[in-house]
C-alpha cells in the first residue's frame, strides 16, 4: 500500500530507456502489446507487419507479415492488439470486423471470426475470459475466449450517426464485473458513458448535465471512479463519474495545452497515478497526475518524441510505463515517489519540503509550521511544469523545468531569516537553458551540491541494448540571471551502466551512485573520479537510498519496493514501509503499523538494541495509525511528521527522541531546556538526576538558578523517588559519550537518593534566597525519606510566631495549606501533637476532615494536665512509648508502678535501665527484665540479669537450663554447695549437655564432678572420641573397654556408609533428571522455530518436560507489542505475582529450580568436619582390622566424589539461570565444595 504519502511526495524519473524500432519508409507503428511473463514487446506496423522484440536487449525475436496469410487486405485498419496469456496468442481486431489470432509459439495466424457489421471498439476483460465489442449495427457483443457468443444487446436506442467520426471506447473495471462504453448518442447530441455488468446487463448512463465529453474513457482499477475528458468553452477538464453515472469530481488541464486534445487516459495498476496523453498534430505530451485531499497534482510532464501511438502501464510495477510513437520510438520510463526536503542535520535546516504541482511548487518549512495539504506556506510559480527539485547544502534549491531549463533559487527559509513573512517568496539567482552542450530533456537525477555546482545523470540515448548513462558535473562561476548550457564548466564522466539513484554521502565531498542492477559506486567531487567495487552490492535494486554514519562508519540505507530495508546490504527489516533520517536515529515505519527507531550511534545489529525490543519499556517502537508514512524527522528536535492515508499531516514525538535530546541538554548543563522538554512530554523528572547523578550534584546550584521558578522546582522535588529511571523506564540504548571530568561527590547507593538531592538543594536554596524559595525548602523536607514533618512544622511555626517578619512571598496559612496538600493531614496533626504545640495541631485539624467533636475535647483535656503527664499522654496517644516512659519517669515516684507496667507491656527494659541507672528502682526493673528473658528462653542473659540483682539461685537455674556448665559450677561454689549437691548439679548439667549433643563436654562434667566413669566413656563414644574413651577406660581399668570402642567404631561405619550410599543415589537421580531438563531447554528454540511459537521473557515459566509433545509457556512473547495501559498493568501484575510453589513433578514449570534447590540441600552434610570424621573413622577401622569396611567406606566416598565432580558444572549453570543475580541469598552459587578429596585417594 503506497497510497498514503503520494500527496507530498514527488514523482521522480529514476530510469529511462529508449529504442528506435527499425521501420521501412512510410511505415509506422499502429498497435502495441506486451507479454510481461516472457518480457516480449509486440508491435504492429501500418504495413500489417508483426514484430516481437525482447524487452531487455531489444533483439528482434520474430517478424511476420500478416498480409502474406491473406487474412487482411492492404487497406485494413487494425483497431486493437492484445496479448492473451492463456492462449499464448495475440488477438488482432480490424475495423472491418475480422478477428485474427496469432499463436506466438507456432507463429501461425488464423481468422477466428468476423463481425459483418464491423467492429468500432473492442476490449478484453482483465481475466481474458470475455471480450466485448461495439459493433457497427449499434450493439454490444460479448464473446468468450473460445469465441462463443455469450450475449448481444443494443448499444443505443437509435443507431449512431455515421457522420460522427469518433468511435466508441470501452474500458473494464479491474475486477471484471463491470465495463463502460463511451459512445456518441444522436438523440442527446453528445457523448455519454453507459455502464454494463459483466453479463451485458445494462447498469447506468452518465448524468444529463455532462456535455462536451471526450471520446476516451478509463475505469480506475479500484473501480470507484471512471475518468474521461470534457471540453467546455475556455476550459478543458478531466472529469470523473461514479458507476451509477453521477459526476464525482474533476480537474482542469493547464491553459497552455488548450490546443491539445486528450488522446488517451490510463491508470496505473495501483490506481494512484493517472496518465493523460495530449496530442496536437505530431506533438504529444504525457502528463502524470496524482491526488490527495481532493486536490490533483501534476507531478510530471514530458514532451514526447513524435506522436504517441500507444501507452501501456506495467501490469505488476505501478511506476513503470511504456510508450511507442508512430515513428517507432519505444520509451520506457521508471519512476518512484519520494520527498524533496532540504538536507542537513542541524537546527539551521528548516526542513523545507517542496511539493510539485504542475508549474507551481508548494514550499513549507516543516520546522515552523505544518499546514494540511494541499495548503502550504508559499507557492512558487514557474514558467513551465516542474520535473524535479533538489536542495543544496545551504538550503538553496534547483528546479528542473519541462522547457529544458534549470532554475536556481535562494533559500526560502534560512537561519538568517528567523521570522520571515509567510508571503515572501524565494528569489531566483540563475536560470540555465539547455542546448547542444547539455540537453536537459535527457537529464534526470538532479542533485544540487552548492549554490553554483550540481550533478545530474544524462541518458546516452544511443538505442543500444546495453545503453548506459553519463554523470554530469556542472559548475557556473558567476550568478548571472540567464545562462546557456555552453557557458557551463561541464565534467562528463561516462558510466558503464544506467543509474537508478544518486545521493550525497554524509560528511563527505562525494556522492553515492546506485545502478539499475543494485551495484554501488562513489563519485569524488574533487577528483571527478568514480570509484567502483568499494561497496557491497545491494541484494536488489532499491528506489530509495541514503548515506549516513552509524557507529561512526559510513553506512548505506536502502529501501526496496519489496519493503526490505537494507543497512549496508544486510536486511534490517522485511516489512519497512518508509524511512527517514534524524541526526540521532534512523526511523522507519512498518506494514504492521509500527514506528521503529535505530540509534545512529550504534550498529543496527547491536545487542543493546535487540535486548530492548519487546521489553515493557521499549522506547524504540511505537504504534502508529494504519497507513501512516514518514515525511520527515526534524533534526535536533523530537518531532516526527507523518502523513496519513487521507492526506493530513500529523506530528508525533517519539519517547526515544525526547530522551536523546534531553540527555544532550543535560550533558550541556542546559537544565532549564531539559526540564521544559521533559515536563512537556511527561517524562519522569527523576531523569534530570539519574542521567548523571554526580554531575547533577556538582551543578545543583546552577540547576536552581536556571529553573528559578518556584513551582517548577517544587514539581521536580515532588516527583523524586528511589528508582533509577535510567535503568528501567528510560534505558539509554545510544552509545555513551565522553563527559567532561568533574569533581567526585559521594553518591553511595546506601545513601537515600531523595534525601541526598533534597539536602543538597535545600542548602543552596537557603543560600540563594530563603524567603523566595521557602515553599521549595519545605518540599525538600517533605520529600525526604522519611518525611521530616517536624522540621516542616518548625519552619511554619516560625512564620506564625514572627508575624512582624515581612514575607510577601509566603504567609503562614499559605505555607500550611501547601504542606497539607503534599502530606497526609492526619500525620501532620500527629506530628504537631508530638511537638506539644496544641494550637498548631488545632489549626491543622481544622483544615482536615477530622470531626471537631473528637479532637477539640481531647485537646482541651490535654491543656488541663501537668507538663510531663501531658506530654506522657500525648506520647501514649501517638504510640511513642519510649518518649512516654521518659516523661512519666519525671512525674514522681508515685507513678513508678505505671512506669513498670509500661516497661513490661512495651518491653522497654533497655531504655528503662538507662533511665533508672543508679536509682533504687533499678533492681526491680532488672528482676522484671530477667523474668522476661526466661520467658523467651534467653537463659544466659537472664542469668546475668539475676546476678545483677543478686538473685544467685535463679541465676544458677538459668545457667543450668542454658547449658552453661562452667558458669553454673562457678556459681555453685559461690553458693557453697556440698559434695552431694554438687554431684547432683553435675548430673543435671550432663543430661542437659547430652540432650544438646555436646557429648565431649558432658564427659568432662561426668568424669570431674560426678566421678561416673562409665557414663563419661559412653559420652565419649557418642562423640566419636575413641582415643579419649580408650585412654580413660584403661586409666580406670574398665573391663571390656576395647570391645566397647570397637563396637562403637563399627556402628559409626554402618551409619556413615549408609548415609553416603543414600545420598549418592539421590544425587545421581536428581542430577540425571536435571541433565534431561537442561537438554530440553537447549532444544526448545529449535522446536519454537518449527512450530512458530515464541518463548516468553522468563525462561523459568516454560515447561521442559520430555513427557509432553507440546511446549507450554505462561508468559507473553518478548517481541509482542503492548499498549501503554496494558504495559503498566503487566508491570503491576508481575509485582503482585505470588510466590512460586516448587514441585519435583516432571514437566512442572519450576522443575529445574526444584532440582537445583534439592541438590543444594543434598550436599548440606558435606562439611570440613564431616571430612575429618571420615578420615578419623578410616584410621580406627584399620586399627581394629576392619579392612573390608575401610575399603568400602573409602570407595563410597570416592564414588560420591566422582558423581559430584561429574555434575558440578551442570548444577552451576542451572544456578546461574534459575536464581536471581540481584538476590544476595541466591546470587552466590552454593554448589562449590569447600574441601579437598585428595586425602582419601592417598589411603591404601
Amino acid at each position: 500500500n503506497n497510497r498514503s504519502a503520494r500527496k507530498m511526495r514527488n514523482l521522480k524519473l529514476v530510469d529511462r530507456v529508449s529504442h528506435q524500432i527499425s521501420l521501412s519508409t512510410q511505415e509506422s507503428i499502429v498497435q502495441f502489446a506486451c507479454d510481461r511473463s516472457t518480457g516480449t514487446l509486440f508491435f504492429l506496423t501500418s504495413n500489417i507487419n508483426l514484430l516481437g522484440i525482447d524487452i531487455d536487449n531489444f533483439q528482434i525475436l520474430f517478424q511476420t507479415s500478416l498480409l502474406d496469410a491473406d487474412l487482411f487486405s492492404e487497406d485494413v485498419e487494425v483497431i486493437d492488439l492484445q496479448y492473451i496469456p492463456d492462449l499464448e496468442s495475440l488477438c488482432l481486431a480490424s475495423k472491418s470486423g475480422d478477428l485474427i489470432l496469432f499463436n506466438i509459439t507456432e507463429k501461425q495466424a488464423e481468422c477466428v471470426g468476423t463481425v459483418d457489421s464491423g467492429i468500432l471498439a473492442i476490449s478484453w476483460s482483465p481475466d481474458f475470459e470475455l471480450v466485448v465489442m461495439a459493433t457497427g449495427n449499434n450493439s454490444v457483443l460479448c464473446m468468450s475466449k473460445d469465441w462463443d457468443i455469450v450475449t448481444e444487446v443494443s448499444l443505443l436506442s437509435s443507431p449512431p450517426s455515421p457522420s460522427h467520426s469518433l468511435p466508441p471506447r470501452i474500458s473494464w473495471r479491474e475486477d471484471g464485473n463491470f465495463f463502460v462504453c463511451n459512445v456518441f448518442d444522436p438523440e442527446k447530441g453528445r457523448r455519454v458513458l453507459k455502464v454494463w455488468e459483466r453479463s451485458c446487463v445494462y447498469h447506468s448512463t452518465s448524468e444529463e448535465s455532462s456535455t462536451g465529453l471526450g471520446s476516451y474513457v478509463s475505469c480506475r482499477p479500484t473501480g470507484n471512479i471512471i475518468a474521461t475528458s470534457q471540453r467546455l468553452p475556455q476550459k478543458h477538464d478531466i472529469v470523473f463519474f461514479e458507476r451509477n453515472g453521477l459526476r464525482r469530481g474533476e480537474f482542469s488541464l493547464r491553459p497552455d495545452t488548450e490546443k491539445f486534445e486528450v488522446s488517451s487516459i490510463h491508470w496505473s495498476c495501483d490506481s494512484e497515478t493517472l496518465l493523460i496523453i495530449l496530442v496536437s498534430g505530431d506533438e504529444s505530451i504525457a502528463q502524470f497526475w496524482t491526488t490527495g485531499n481532493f486536490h490533483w497534482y501534476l507531478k510530471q510532464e514530458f514532451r514526447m518524441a513524435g506522436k504517441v501511438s500507444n501507452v501501456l502501464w506495467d501490469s505488476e510495477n505501478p511506476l513503470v510505463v511504456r510508450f511507442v510513437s508512430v515513428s517507432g520510438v519505444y520509451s520506457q520510463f521508471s519512476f518512484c515517489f519520494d520527498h524533496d526536503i532540504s538536507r542537513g542535520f542541524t537546527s539551521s535546516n528548516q526542513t523545507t519540503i517542496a511539493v510539485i504541482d504542475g508549474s507551481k511548487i508548494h514550499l513549507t518549512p516543516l520546522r515552523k509550521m505544518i499546514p494540511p495539504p494541499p495548503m502550504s506556506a508559499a507557492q512558487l510559480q514557474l514558467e513551465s511544469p516542474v520535473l524535479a527539485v533538489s536542495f543544496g547544502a545551504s538550503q538553496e534549491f534547483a528546479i528542473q523545468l519541462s522547457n529544458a531549463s534549470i532554475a536556481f533559487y535562494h533559500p526560502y527559509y534560512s537561519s538568517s531569516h528567523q521570522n520571515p513573512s509567510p508571503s515572501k517568496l524565494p528569489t531566483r539567482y540563475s536560470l540555465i537553458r539547455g542546448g547542444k552542450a547539455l540537453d536537459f530533456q535527457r537529464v534526470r537525477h538532479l542533485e544540487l551540491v552548492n549554490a553554483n555546482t550540481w550533478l545530474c545523470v544524462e541518458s546516452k540515448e544511443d538505442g543500444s541494448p546495453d545503453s548506459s548513462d553519463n554523470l554530469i558535473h556542472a559548475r557556473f562561476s558567476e550568478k548571472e540571471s540567464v545562462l546557456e548550457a555552453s557557458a557551463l564548466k561541464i565534467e562528463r564522466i561516462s558510466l558503464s551502466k544506467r543509474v537508478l539513484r544518486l545521493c550525497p554521502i554524509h560528511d563527505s565531498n562525494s556522492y553515492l551512485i546506485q545502478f539499475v542492477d543494485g551495484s554501488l559506486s562513489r563519485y569524488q567531487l574533487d577528483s571527478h573520479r568514480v570509484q567502483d567495487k568499494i561497496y557491497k552490492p545491494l541484494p536488489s535494486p532499491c528506489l530509495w537510498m541514503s548515506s549516513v554514519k552509524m557507529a561512526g562508519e559510513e553506512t548505506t540505507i536502502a529501501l526496496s519496493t519489496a519493503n526490505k530495508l537494507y543497512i549496508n546490504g544486510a536486511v534490517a527489516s522485511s516489512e519497512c514501509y518508509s524511512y527517514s533520517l534524524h541526526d540521532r536515529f534512523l526511523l522507519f515505519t512498518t506494514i504492521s503499523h509500527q514506528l521503529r527507531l535505530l540509534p545512529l550511534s550504534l550498529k543496527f545489529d547491536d545487542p543493546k538494541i535487540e535486548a530492548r525490543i519487546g521489553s515493557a519499556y521499549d522506547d524504540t517502537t511505537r504504534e502508529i495509525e494504519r497507513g501512516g508514512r514518514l515525511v520527515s524527522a526534524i533534526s535536533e528536535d523530537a518531532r516526527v511528521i507523518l502523513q496519513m492515508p487521507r492526506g493530513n499531516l500529523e506530528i508525533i514525538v517519539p519517547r526515544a527522541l525526547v530522551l536523546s535530546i534531553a540527555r544532550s541538554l543535560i550533558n550541556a548543563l542546559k537544565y532549564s531546556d531539559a526540564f521544559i522538554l521533559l515536563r512537556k512530554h511527561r517524562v519522569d523528572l527523576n531523569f534530570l538526576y539519574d542521567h548523571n547523578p554526580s554531575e547533577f550534584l556538582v551543578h545543583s546550584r546552577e540547576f536552581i538558578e536556571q529553573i528559578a521558578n518556584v513551582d517548577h522546582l517544587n514539581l521536580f522535588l515532588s516527583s523524586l523517588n528511589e528508582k533509577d529511571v535510567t535503568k528501567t523506564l528510560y534505558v539509554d540504548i545510544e552509545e555513551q559519550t565522553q563527559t567532561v571530568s568533574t569533581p567526585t561527590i559521594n553518591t553511595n547507593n546506601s545513601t537515600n537518593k531523595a534525601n541526598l538531592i533534597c539536602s543538597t538543594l535545600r542548602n543552596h536554596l537557603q543560600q540563594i534566597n530563603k524567603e523566595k524559595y521557602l515553599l521549595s525548602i519545605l518540599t525538600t523536607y517533605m520529600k525526604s525519606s522519611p518525611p521530616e514533618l517536624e522540621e516542616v512544622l518548625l519552619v511554619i511555626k516560625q512564620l506564625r510566631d514572627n508575624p512582624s517578619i515581612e514575607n510577601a512571598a509566603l504567609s503562614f496559612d499559605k505555607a500550611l495549606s501547601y504542606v497539607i496538600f503534599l502530606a497526609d493531614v492526619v500525620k501532620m496533626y500527629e506530628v504537631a501533637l508530638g511537638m506539644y504545640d496544641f494550637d498548631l495541631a488545632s489549626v491543622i485539624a481544622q483544615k482536615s476532615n477530622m470531626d471537631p467533636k473528637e479532637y477539640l475535647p481531647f485537646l482541651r483535656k490535654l491543656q488541663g494536665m501537668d507538663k510531663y503527664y501531658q506530654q506522657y499522654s500525648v506520647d501514649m496517644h501517638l504510640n511513642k512509648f519510649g518518649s512516654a516512659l521518659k516523661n512519666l519517669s519525671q512525674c514522681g515516684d508515685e507513678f513508678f508502678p505505671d512506669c513498670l507496667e509500661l516497661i513490661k507491656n512495651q518491653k522497654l527494659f533497655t531504655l528503662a535501665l538507662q533511665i533508672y541507672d543508679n536509682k533504687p528502682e533499678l533492681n526491680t526493673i532488672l528482676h522484671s527484665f530477667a523474668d522476661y528473658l526466661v520467658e523467651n528462653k534467653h537463659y544466659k542473659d537472664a542469668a546475668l540479669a539475676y546476678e545483677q540483682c543478686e538473685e544467685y539461685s535463679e541465676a544458677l537455674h538459668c545457667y543450668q537450663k542454658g547449658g552453661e556448665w562452667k558458669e553454673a559450677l562457678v556459681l555453685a561454689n559461690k553458693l557453697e554447695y556440698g559434695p552431694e549437691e554438687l554431684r547432683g548439679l553435675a548430673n543435671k548439667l550432663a543430661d542437659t549437655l547430652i540432650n544438646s549433643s555436646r557429648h565431649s563436654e558432658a564427659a568432662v562434667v561426668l568424669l570431674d564432678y560426678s566421678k561416673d566413669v562409665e557414663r563419661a566413656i559412653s559420652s565419649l563414644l557418642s562423640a566419636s572420641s575413641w582415643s579419649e574413651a580408650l585412654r580413660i577406660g584403661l586409666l580406670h581399668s574398665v573391663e571390656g573397654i576395647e570391645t566397647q570402642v570397637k563396637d562403637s567404631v563399627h556402628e559409626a561405619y554402618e551409619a556413615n556408609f549408609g548415609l553416603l550410599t543414600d545420598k549418592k543415589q539421590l544425587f545421581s537421580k536428581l542430577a540425571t533428571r536435571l541433565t534431561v531438563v537442561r537438554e530440553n531447554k537447549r532444544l526448545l528454540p529449535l522446536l519454537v522455530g518449527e512450530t512458530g511459537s515464541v518463548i516468553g521473557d522468563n525462561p523459568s515459566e516454560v515447561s521442559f518436560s520430555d513427557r509432553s509433545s507440546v511446549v507450554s509457556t505462561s508468559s507473553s512473547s518478548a517481541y509482542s507489542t503492548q499498549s501503554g495501559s496494558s504495559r503498566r498493568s503487566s508491570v503491576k501484575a508481575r509485582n503482585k505475582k505470588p510466590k512460586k510453589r516448587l514441585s519435583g513433578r516432571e514437566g512442572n514449570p519450576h522443575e529445574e529450580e526444584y532440582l537445583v534447590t534439592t541438590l543444594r540441600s543434598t550436599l548440606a552434610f558435606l562439611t570440613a568436619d564431616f571430612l575429618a570424621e571420615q578420615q578419623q573413622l578410616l584410621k580406627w577401622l584399620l586399627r581394629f582390622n576392619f579392612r573390608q569396611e575401610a575399603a568400602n567406606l573409602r570407595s563410597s566416598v570416592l564414588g560420591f566424589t566422582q558423581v559430584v565432580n561429574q555434575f558440578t558444572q551442570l548444577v552451576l549453570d542451572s544456578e546461574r539461570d534459575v536464581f536471581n543475580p540481584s538476590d544476595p541469598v541466591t546470587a552466590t552459587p552454593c554448589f562449590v565444595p569447600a574441601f579437598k578429596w585428595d586425602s582419601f585417594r592417598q589411603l591404601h
Side-chain angles (χ1 to χ4, degrees), residues 778-792:
L778 292 175
T779 307
T780 61
Y781 286 121
M782 300 294 294
K783 287 303 295 183
S784 298
S785 180
E788 299 179 31
L789 300 180
E790 189 168 343
E791 294 293 333
V792 171

Side-chain angles (χ1 to χ4, degrees), residues 1046-1059:
K1046 184 177 181 180
D1047 293 342
S1048 176
V1049 169
H1050 196 271
E1051 290 176 2
Y1053 157 75
E1054 290 178 342
N1056 284 278
F1057 182 76
L1059 174 66

Side-chain angles (χ1 to χ4, degrees), residues 341-344 349 352 389-399 408-411 429 446-454 504 511:
I341 302 179
S342 59
R343 51 191 172 97
N349 177 17
T352 303
V389 181
S390 176
F391 285 89
S394 300
Q395 312 302 300
E396 61 274 342
F397 57 97
I399 303 173
F408 296 84
Y409 284 80
H410 290 292
Y429 61 84
L446 177 65
E447 288 288 337
L448 184 61
V449 179
N450 51 46
N452 60 350
T453 306
W454 45 279
Y511 273 72

Side-chain angles (χ1 to χ4, degrees), residues 616-617 1097 1122 1127 1129-1138:
Y617 305 110
D1097 50 3
Q1122 302 175 351
R1127 183 169 64 189
S1129 300
S1130 65
V1131 174
K1132 293 181 179 178
R1134 285 199 299 271
N1135 292 337
K1136 294 182 179 179
K1137 185 166 62 174

